Amino acid sequence: MSGGHPNQFALLAQRRFAPFFAVQFLGAGNDNLFKFAFTVMATYELQLAWMPPSLAGLVIGAVFILPFVLFSATAGQLADKHDKALLARWVKSLEIAIMAAAVWGFVRTDAVMLLACVFGMGLHSTLFGPVKYAYLPQHLDERELTGGNGLVEMGTFVAILLGNLAGGLLMAVPEAGARLVAAACLGVALLGRLVAQAVPRSPAPQPDLTINWNPFSETWRNLRLSREDPVVFRSLLGISWMWAFGAVFLSQFPAFAKDVLHGDEQVASLLLVLFSVGVGVGALLCETLSRRHVEIGLVPLGAAGMSVFAVDLYFAAHALPASALMPVSAFVAQPAHWRVMADLVLLALAAGVYSVPMYALIQLRSPATHRARIIAANNILNALFMIASALGAGALLGAGLSIPGVFLVAGVVNALVAGAVFWFVPEYLLRCRALLHGRLVRRLRVTGSVLPPADGAALLVGPAPAGADLLLPAAAGPRPLRWVVDRQRLASPGLGALLRRAGAVAWVPAHEDAAAHAEAVERAAQALAAGELVGLFVADEAGRAATQAALVARQPVPVLSVGFVPGRPAVLSLEAVPG
């Protein structure tokens, strides 16, 4: 049923996506080219009492993040009120002005001017953030969202990597380094503004919105707004945790390369390359793993990988013998370092698998009129979590913990956080088990003339498959399914317990327990009234038909007949039942 949906790379040839992708790629690249070049200048060339080399990276990073905390709420309102293509052009024009000032700063070696430009580029990214993620659901359908987000995530990390490498290489050119960086920054900004002209119109979802210019009251209002849908809010927290987790590793790469791995600057760059490639590959894999749906079942897999490989990184690196600083060729030649590199790639890949479905879920589930403001709330939370992460990692290092020890703590804390989230929101584990069962055990194939609707209530009806096959109807679409199943199926300690925690309804025939039967019908009818997708899978054919009729009589909704042929591959057929 997916033949009409080409893979995600086809989007790169389409005007609705390609110019937007190029704009965000150039913006992320320029941010990092400029920041890293300035960091190198402050570390090796400037002699500033107020910004010593040891603190240069921290100061520049903090100044860049500050606008996210102060102005994300305003940026979200602007993206809900104005055409996003127009906003993209405004933001890229602002980038040209900031980079023109940065040219002066580099040529005159003016650290104060350059630090002001760091704040300006932070503001540029703050304004573009809600545009970036609210744009996608206006131009991509549900089956393209995961692939589109994967490309954006991959592009962002590749741009970060290339920006850092370019900034370092250009600044290292004797005598001309600062001028080359200045020219490159301005040139990338001009190219971004030129490409932004091709971004298609994206009409404002709420053009009559009155802007609240008070960033503090609007920030609080955005956070409250994001909590209206618990699934969206938990996804915001999950993404922010991923950024906090990743920041622990990214911020420690230079010291980790030098003090633990005994490598030179090239080794530190190699770690960044490995991490960026890992995130990009993980992000791109999401479309294939999810069958081009928004699939939150990938999130537990990503979370598990993040913890497993962070813990293994500790064991791979904590006892490496001391040596003189080695170049990248000598570092790669030692088999003991292969495990370290593999752990970094796989950890980053897991982070990509973890984050992309959450971004897509936020875009899919947020109301169009408030989507940009909810994404702005996510940017605020990301900044706060990253600040807390930096403080936490600094405190652990200050207490005498080694860098591999900090990675170990991050892996253990991630496991605890993920465990708590999945306990309170069992839908993640339920869909993860359905995904694994459908892909690895049954190799599910979906046929028929329809798919479950992307939104609104609907009723799926069919006989109850045996064992974990009961979960397979959930794999036909991206939405949570409210199961209505035989009471004895929910009594089991394994799958039954997971279904109970996910709110499954226990069904019994009316002739066995009239009160319990009436309660099951009532709960299923309430779920349909709330716009949920309900799956009625019970063994009693006559009772199933009677319950279907009772539900449709109370709540007229589309009904899909579900047929299931077990085996390998298993076949799930979906057909619309005439109303």
Side-chain angles (χ1 to χ4, degrees), residues 319-404:
L320 291 174
S323 71
L325 293 185
M326 64 187 82
V328 70
S329 57
F331 175 82
V332 172
Q334 296 191 18
H337 296 148
W338 297 352
R339 182 177 170 189
V340 172
M341 292 186 287
D343 280 334
L344 273 178
V345 170
L346 293 172
L347 182 156
L349 185 149
V353 170
Y354 171 92
S355 63
V356 167
M358 287 195 171
Y359 275 119
L361 182 66
I362 291 169
Q363 294 162 352
L364 188 66
R365 295 285 291 269
S366 299
T369 54
H370 298 77
R371 187 180 287 131
R373 278 169 284 174
I374 289 174
I375 291 166
N378 182 47
N379 290 339
I380 297 165
L381 290 171
N382 288 350
L384 295 176
F385 272 60
M386 290 173 70
I387 291 168
S389 166
L391 294 174
L396 291 173
L397 292 169
L401 200 64
S402 66
I403 293 175

Side-chain angles (χ1 to χ4, degrees), residues 464 470 485-497 499-500 505-509 512 537-540:
L470 178 64
V485 297
D486 295 292
R487 182 164 58 183
Q488 59 267 32
R489 298 291 297 271
L490 298 184
S492 65
L495 179 59
L499 286 167
R500 289 197 306 273
V505 177
W507 183 91
V508 291
E512 287 185 13
F537 300 104
V538 297
D540 183 338

Side-chain angles (χ1 to χ4, degrees), residues 248-249 251-253 255-257 259-262 310-311 313-320 392-411:
V248 170
F249 294 86
S251 64
Q252 297 302 320
F253 278 169
F256 181 55
D259 299 334
V260 178
L261 303 179
H262 312 295
V311 170
L313 184 59
Y314 164 78
F315 289 106
H318 83 288
L320 291 174
L396 291 173
L397 292 169
L401 200 64
S402 66
I403 293 175
V406 172
F407 295 164
L408 175 64
V409 170

